Amino acid sequence: VTDMCVHTAMSCEDGNKCNGVFVCEEASGTCIIDKPVVDCDDNNACTIDTCVASTGLCQSTDKTCNDYNVCTANDYCDVNVGCVFTPSATPCCGNAQCESNENAGTCPQDCSTSITTNLAGTNYGYLGNIFNIETKSLNMTITGVGVHCTLPEGITGTVHVYSKPGDYYSSGSWYSKSRWDLIIQKD
């Protein structure tokens, strides 16, 4: 009894019961779906629906509809559309809009004419310094940037300033020069 064949069944399961149940088709030896992917959507926009991978069972938790914005009132959830944030009466200091009856003295966070510079990601070696310039108010536009660059004595060089709208961190392609516009070149 030395030349016996041993056949081991092929496993098609990935351990995640939410992905559906797969079985091996004997004729082809390939995995095919036996039970479909678990759909946990309860058609209620006020719940967060998930599938538990180990059991394949659905669970729902209620959405929290608080945007922590002082300029909205009575935040609630509508089962058809989800969270609803109702604007409170205007003007409202803190909504990033400088409205009538607001000014830099009464609401500096909305009406200040200053800008901030985020130098958190300062030096990227050969790419140079990269930073964000942001306005404090949404209804403010940056129309110019001044650049002051001092090189050590005897060193010559050219300063290039590139710009692109949005946040350079979030785009995932900040290092690609083709996504930026040259706005200043100084020798």
Side-chain angles (χ1 to χ4, degrees):
V1 190
T2 57
D3 293 328
M4 296 182 68
C5 294
V6 177
H7 299 278
T8 305
M10 185 171 119
S11 175
C12 292
E13 286 303 312
D14 63 0
N16 184 344
K17 297 197 183 303
C18 297
N19 290 337
V21 177
F22 293 84
V23 295
C24 181
E25 183 180 57
E26 287 185 35
S28 66
T30 59
C31 293
I32 58 171
I33 194 159
D34 185 48
K35 292 184 182 175
V37 173
V38 178
D39 179 11
C40 291
D41 185 3
D42 63 1
N43 294 316
N44 180 342
C46 294
T47 59
I48 300 168
D49 307 317
T50 57
C51 180
V52 179
S54 61
T55 63
L57 298 176
C58 294
Q59 65 182 23
S60 295
T61 54
D62 292 335
K63 276 187 184 175
T64 301
C65 291
N66 185 349
D67 63 359
Y68 301 99
N69 182 342
V70 297
C71 295
T72 61
N74 305 320
D75 300 343
Y76 70 97
C77 193
D78 178 297
V79 294
N80 295 310
V81 297
C83 292
V84 177
F85 308 109
T86 307
S88 47
T90 58
C92 179
C93 186
N95 64 355
Q97 296 292 320
C98 189
E99 300 163 310
S100 62
N101 299 323
E102 289 181 340
N103 59 50
T106 61
C107 186
Q109 67 216 51
D110 290 349
C111 299
S112 173
T113 57
S114 66
I115 60 172
T116 60
T117 304
N118 174 1
L119 293 174
T122 41
N123 196 331
Y124 283 90
Y126 75 93
L127 294 173
N129 294 327
I130 298 176
F131 53 90
N132 283 337
I133 299 175
E134 303 165 343
T135 63
K136 285 188 172 183
S137 175
L138 291 179
N139 57 347
M140 178 190 239
T141 303
I142 298 171
T143 59
V145 176
V147 176
H148 177 74
C149 182
T150 305
L151 295 173
E153 193 171 319
I155 304 288
T156 59
T158 303
V159 175
H160 296 179
V161 178
Y162 290 87
S163 173
K164 86 176 200 49
D167 186 331
Y168 77 86
Y169 286 116
S170 65
S171 69
S173 61
W174 58 266
Y175 51 83
S176 173
K177 190 191 270 188
S178 66
R179 305 257 174 139
W180 296 72
D181 297 318
L182 179 64
I183 58 170
I184 300 172
Q185 180 171 331
K186 281 188 160 186
D187 293 321

